[in-house]
Amino acid sequence: YSSKFVNSGNVENRGIELSLFGTPLKTDNFTWNMNVNWTKNNSKVLELFEGSDNLVLGSFQGGVSINATLDQPFGTIRGSDFTYVNGQKVIGTNGYYVKSATSNIVIGNANPDWIAGINNNFRYNGISLGFLVDIRQGGDVFSLDRYYGLATGMSVETTGPNDLGNPSRNSIANGGGIILPGVLADGTPNAKRVSNSNYGLYGYLRNPAAGFVYDASYVKLREVILSYTLPGKYINNMGPVKGIDFSLIGKNLWIIHKNLPDADPEDNISAGNIQGYQGGSYPTTRNIGFNVKLRF
């Protein structure tokens, strides 16, 4: 035979989900209802087929892969890393970062530490206002957009003044260039200035894949619903109609906080097993709609 199908492995998921419902304030004309949900999940790859210790779920540009690694969370991000001395990045004699000898190092984990949602609803007489805030804490994402954008000078970090107060894109002879933060192999601080007028200083040419892994945390205003219930006196002569509700609905209205520059941390290339990789991200789209509900 040339191939066979096997069970790829065994993954354990353990977690907890908590929900809290309450009415913080209620009067004759006004009601405030709240629903808070908090979820934490820990995954672990317990077993892989035929004694393997890693299953590659997908390999992508940038030299990174998403993996199921034995005894680790499902969805590790592997690629090249910096080298370190006492926790500080090592800089070579040429003034640039020293990359790891292998590109198979775990440099991230796509799984969030926890996720949460806070839903509030305020009702005054026939008017109702509800809004949902989504929160994700932790987890990592590799950004291919940053991988190329920093290399080509399209990102704002690649310009501006240097430590001398001069434009960093000037030639070194004219006071330009930068000193990359880090230490030499012997632990002494780096003091070598390198040019910032050439391709790739901040991008993939001079940095390992780990340099483009970001915290995927966010806080979002996920949904807002403004509703109005038509008073009964206006529908008394509408036959079987017992009520009419008008609603204005907005979704994905505002990214309140995020740590990934230039893109939405939720913008992944897959909704399935491949998580933690972002590339070719479009601006986030807001959706606004109008709804009429008839009750009989």
Side-chain angles (χ1 to χ4, degrees), residues 1-290:
Y1 59 87
S2 61
S3 63
K4 66 177 179 179
F5 290 98
V6 298
N7 184 11
S8 57
N10 183 17
V11 179
E12 176 186 75
N13 286 280
R14 289 187 175 183
I16 184 172
E17 182 173 5
L18 302 174
S19 293
L20 175 66
F21 302 86
T23 304
L25 182 62
K26 185 174 183 179
T27 66
D28 292 339
N29 297 318
F30 178 81
T31 302
W32 171 19
N33 292 316
M34 177 181 286
N35 177 13
V36 180
N37 184 272
W38 183 88
T39 303
K40 179 178 178 61
N41 179 67
N42 294 321
S43 70
K44 186 177 181 180
V45 179
L46 301 180
E47 182 184 3
L48 292 175
F49 65 97
E50 297 180 351
S52 301
D53 60 4
N54 189 73
L55 173 64
V56 178
L57 303 175
S59 298
F60 306 99
Q61 288 188 65
V64 298
S65 59
I66 310 299
N67 303 266
T69 305
L70 192 64
D71 296 326
Q72 295 200 34
F74 183 87
T76 55
I77 305 171
R78 287 177 175 258
S80 57
D81 198 356
F82 298 93
T83 59
Y84 299 89
V85 168
N86 298 324
Q88 299 190 70
K89 298 173 183 175
V90 174
I91 303 234
T93 56
N94 59 359
Y96 300 109
Y97 289 117
V98 177
K99 301 180 184 179
S100 60
T102 174
S103 60
N104 196 32
I105 298 174
V106 175
I107 57 175
N109 173 15
N111 299 282
D113 297 332
W114 52 265
I115 58 175
I118 304 173
N119 191 20
N120 288 278
N121 184 272
F122 303 95
R123 188 171 188 87
Y124 178 75
N125 292 330
I127 302 175
S128 174
L129 174 64
F131 62 91
L132 172 63
V133 175
D134 265 356
I135 304 169
R136 170 185 167 129
Q137 176 60 43
D140 300 307
V141 58
F142 175 89
S143 174
L144 188 68
D145 293 344
R146 298 284 291 174
Y147 177 86
Y148 284 118
L150 287 166
T152 55
M154 297 299 291
S155 300
V156 67
E157 296 91 337
T158 64
T159 187
N162 60 14
D163 58 307
L164 301 175
N166 301 319
S168 65
R169 290 187 178 181
N170 284 356
S171 66
I172 293 179
N174 290 323
I178 64 168
I179 299 174
L180 293 172
V183 297
L184 303 181
D186 61 4
T188 58
N190 174 47
K192 186 175 180 63
R193 189 173 300 275
V194 292
S195 174
N196 186 28
S197 59
N198 297 324
Y199 178 87
L201 173 61
Y202 291 93
Y204 64 87
L205 184 64
R206 298 294 184 181
N207 295 272
F212 313 101
V213 174
Y214 295 87
D215 176 18
S217 301
Y218 61 76
V219 180
K220 292 185 175 186
L221 180 60
R222 181 71 70 185
E223 184 177 75
V224 174
I225 302 177
L226 179 63
S227 300
Y228 176 68
T229 300
L230 200 67
K233 63 182 180 180
Y234 295 112
I235 58 175
N236 289 336
N237 297 322
M238 292 187 180
V241 178
K242 304 300 182 182
I244 302 177
D245 300 321
F246 302 94
S247 299
L248 185 63
I249 305 169
K251 295 186 177 182
N252 297 318
L253 297 176
W254 180 22
I255 302 178
I256 302 170
H257 170 77
K258 65 184 180 74
N259 296 313
L260 172 64
D262 307 326
D264 185 342
E266 274 192 303
D267 188 6
N268 280 269
I269 62 171
S270 168
N273 290 330
I274 308 299
Q275 298 293 312
Y277 187 90
Q278 174 269 322
S281 180
Y282 288 97
T284 302
T285 301
R286 299 182 180 93
N287 298 314
I288 298 176
F290 183 75

